[in-house]
């Protein structure tokens, strides 16, 4: 009988575990060496110099390529380093179409740095096919999407956009940070490049800064290998180890992140201090059906608007289990205020047009017990309402 291919849970748990032939170590060792001896002239072990290739980093990169159904993986020193490496595919006169509701750092990289090299970008709602078509220029080279977007959790139909991109010979790039290959694999839906801030769910413990690129296709993979080595923003051997260590439990963590976020989002929909809740797992979310079709689960991030902007300061002061901090995707729950933190570099007109206003909070739900998180948030919201109402004499 032919053996069934291993499920993603098994492949994650086993990253690197059978690749160390000398001692049989079940976790792959950290090779610190930057130089590798050549057996003789014209021969190589496959490793020459660690910026180009390092054994520990290679195990991580191969695992990521396989998990995302791509051909090659590249580990970078941060998500931003991965984005810079990808954007280096483009140069003077090239144009990109980019998701409107975008990670603030990606926007800053495009507007403040890539612009100096003559690369321009148009920001559109990538779910609106007419808007996509209208933004296409003769020099457009690629479309870049985030789905769900951070922080507003808007969903883009990956397959529709990638099919459109292929038709116009554009490279399609998907930032898959919020769902990870455990829940969503954009390359299987037609994408050419996937990027991750591995600092978030892949690492998962708020203790390693890393970025991952996965490419599909020989030519693109070779070009990315050239850029990765030439730019040199590569991940260190010990951080590569730390990232693999985190990825082994990705399946368990994502399941808990999803169930906790669903419990918390559902709780907030009926709380008197809350205006709106943005979470694709909720049935009335506009992207709910597309999300269910293209992904096998939901992220642990959602955002919500309090009814009164004056609640924000006391809520952030009163949460105790949930930390007021600027990241996402770790086992610890974090609350972020996008307007002043992650999205401060996006001009206020754009921010407010897309809804990132001063009532919006983003919640990265950790793997603590859902009831403890509900109790913490409920107490903070009630205290905030009492303070604001007290101060206005209502
Ligand atoms: C955090 C993040 C990035 C940037 O990654 P770093 O690891 O912080 O450099 C890019 N995209 C998304 C969606 C992110 O959340």
């Amino acid at each position: 009988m032919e053996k069934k291919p291993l499920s993603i849970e098994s492949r994650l748990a086993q990253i690197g575990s059978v690749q160390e032939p000398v001692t049989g170590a079940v976790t792959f060792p950290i090779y610190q060496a930057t130089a590798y001896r050549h057996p003789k002239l014209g021969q190589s072990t496959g490793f020459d110099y660690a910026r180009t290739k390092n054994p520990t980093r290679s195990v991580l990169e191969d695992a990521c390529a396989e998990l995302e159904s791509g051909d090659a993986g590249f580990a970078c020193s941060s998500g931003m380093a991965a984005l810079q490496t990808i954007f280096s595919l483009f140069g003077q006169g090239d144009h990109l179409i980019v998701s409107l509701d975008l990670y603030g750092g990606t926007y800053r990289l495009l507007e403040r740095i890539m612009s100096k090299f003559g690369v321009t970008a148009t920001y559109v709602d990538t779910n609106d096919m007419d808007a996509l078509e209208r933004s296409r220029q003769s020099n457009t080279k690629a479309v870049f999407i985030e789905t769900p977007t951070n922080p507003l959790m808007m969903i883009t139909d990956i397959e529709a956009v990638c099919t459109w991109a292929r038709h116009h010979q554009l490279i399609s790039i998907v930032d898959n940070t919020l769902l990870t290959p455990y829940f969503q694999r954009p390359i299987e839906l037609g994408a050419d490049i996937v990027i991750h801030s591995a600092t978030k769910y892949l690492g998962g413990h708020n203790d390693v800064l890393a970025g991952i690129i996965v490419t599909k296709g020989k030519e693109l993979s070779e070009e990315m290998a050239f850029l990765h080595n030439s730019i040199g923003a590569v991940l260190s051997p010990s951080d590569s180890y730390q990232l693999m260590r985190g990825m082994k439990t990705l399946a368990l963590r994502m399941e808990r992140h999803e169930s906790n976020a669903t419990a918390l989002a559902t709780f907030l929909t009926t709380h008197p201090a809350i205006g709106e809740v943005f979470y694709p797992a909720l049935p009335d979310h506009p992207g709910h059906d597309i999300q269910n079709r293209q992904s096998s689960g939901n992220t642990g991030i959602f955002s919500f608007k309090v009814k009164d902007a004056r609640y924000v300061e006391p809520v952030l002061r009163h949460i105790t289990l949930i930390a007021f901090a600027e990241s996402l995707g770790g086992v610890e729950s974090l609350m972020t205020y996008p307007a002043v933190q992650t999205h401060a570099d996006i001009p206020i007109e754009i921010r407010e047009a897309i809804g990132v206003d001063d009532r919006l909070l983003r919640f990265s739900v950790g793997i603590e017990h859902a009831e403890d998180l509900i109790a913490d948030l409920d107490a903070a919201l009630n205290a905030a309402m009492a303070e604001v109402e007290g101060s206005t004499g209502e």
Side-chain angles (χ1 to χ4, degrees), residues 78-80 83 103 146 150 175 177-178 197 199-200 209-210 328:
S78 68
M80 293 317 303
L83 286 161
Y103 176 70
E146 268 182 42
N150 162 15
D175 186 328
T177 298
L178 265 58
S197 169
T199 313
K200 316 293 170 54
L209 190 69
L328 58 89

Side-chain angles (χ1 to χ4, degrees), residues 53-357:
K53 209 166 176 223
N54 168 278
T56 313
R57 201 179 79 220
S58 286
V59 171
L60 166 68
E61 292 173 333
D62 293 348
C64 290
E66 198 268 334
L67 288 163
E68 284 285 7
S69 302
D71 292 321
F74 305 92
C76 302
S77 51
S78 68
M80 293 317 303
L83 286 161
Q84 170 76 80
T85 303
I86 293 169
F87 290 148
S88 301
L89 288 166
F90 312 109
Q92 184 64 41
D94 289 343
H95 172 253
L96 312 177
I97 300 171
V98 180
S99 280
L100 182 62
D101 176 25
L102 187 68
Y103 176 70
T106 310
Y107 178 85
R108 182 177 57 198
L109 177 60
L110 288 167
E111 290 305 304
R112 306 270 298 274
I113 295 151
M114 293 314 295
S115 60
K116 291 201 255 183
F117 299 93
V119 177
T120 54
T122 303
Y123 303 88
V124 297
D125 173 357
T126 44
N127 227 2
D128 178 345
M129 296 308 288
D130 294 332
L132 269 181
E133 190 52 51
R134 276 197 307 276
S135 62
R136 192 169 61 84
Q137 307 175 1
S138 58
N139 58 342
T140 303
K141 289 288 153 55
V143 54
F144 181 99
I145 59 182
E146 268 182 42
T147 180
T149 56
N150 162 15
L152 285 166
M153 313 307 294
M154 295 200 282
I155 303 298
T156 290
D157 186 332
I158 299 174
E159 193 166 18
V161 173
C162 292
T163 304
W164 172 83
R166 181 137 311 166
H167 179 73
H168 295 290
Q169 286 162 7
L170 312 180
I171 296 173
S172 43
I173 309 164
V174 179
D175 186 328
N176 202 28
T177 298
L178 265 58
L179 283 170
T180 82
Y182 181 69
F183 279 149
Q184 174 172 284
R185 289 179 292 281
I187 288 174
E188 292 178 3
L189 300 167
D192 300 301
I193 302 175
V194 166
I195 161 312
H196 282 274
S197 169
T199 313
K200 316 293 170 54
Y201 285 115
L202 292 180
H205 294 73
N206 291 320
D207 62 1
V208 58
L209 190 69
I212 293 289
I213 303 167
V214 175
T215 49
K216 181 74 186 169
K218 186 163 180 279
E219 205 180 314
L220 199 55
S221 300
E222 282 171 3
E223 201 169 345
M224 200 65 74
F226 170 79
L227 292 171
H228 189 233
N229 180 50
S230 302
I231 293 168
V234 301
L235 194 63
S236 75
S238 47
D239 285 345
S240 297
Y241 181 90
Q242 183 91 332
L243 181 51
M244 285 191 272
R245 155 87 184 229
M247 285 173 67
K248 284 169 176 275
T249 57
L250 181 68
L252 291 172
R253 288 187 283 106
M254 292 312 289
E255 293 290 347
R256 175 63 81 95
H257 284 299
E258 179 187 35
S259 64
N260 272 1
T262 304
L264 268 290
T266 305
F267 161 74
L268 287 184
T269 53
T270 59
H271 197 284
I274 302 301
E276 298 132 276
V277 179
F278 306 91
Y279 189 46
L282 298 177
D284 60 353
H285 186 281
H288 182 73
D289 293 339
I290 296 173
Q291 164 72 21
N292 280 356
R293 195 172 69 230
Q294 68 188 8
S295 320
S296 58
N298 288 279
T299 183
I301 320 291
F302 68 86
S303 57
F304 59 93
K305 285 189 181 177
V306 289
K307 278 195 182 135
D308 186 326
R310 291 173 302 171
Y311 294 164
V312 169
E313 189 280 324
V315 166
L316 295 173
R317 178 158 38 81
H318 284 292
I319 45 176
T320 55
L321 177 60
I322 304 161
F324 172 37
E326 180 171 337
S327 189
L328 58 89
V331 294
E332 300 93 355
S333 288
L334 305 181
M335 188 83 76
T336 304
Y337 191 27
V340 303
Q341 293 180 304
T342 50
H343 288 62
D345 280 305
I346 298 183
I348 185 154
E349 320 81 70
I350 298 187
R351 245 200 289 126
E352 298 206 329
I354 60 175
V356 181
D357 63 19

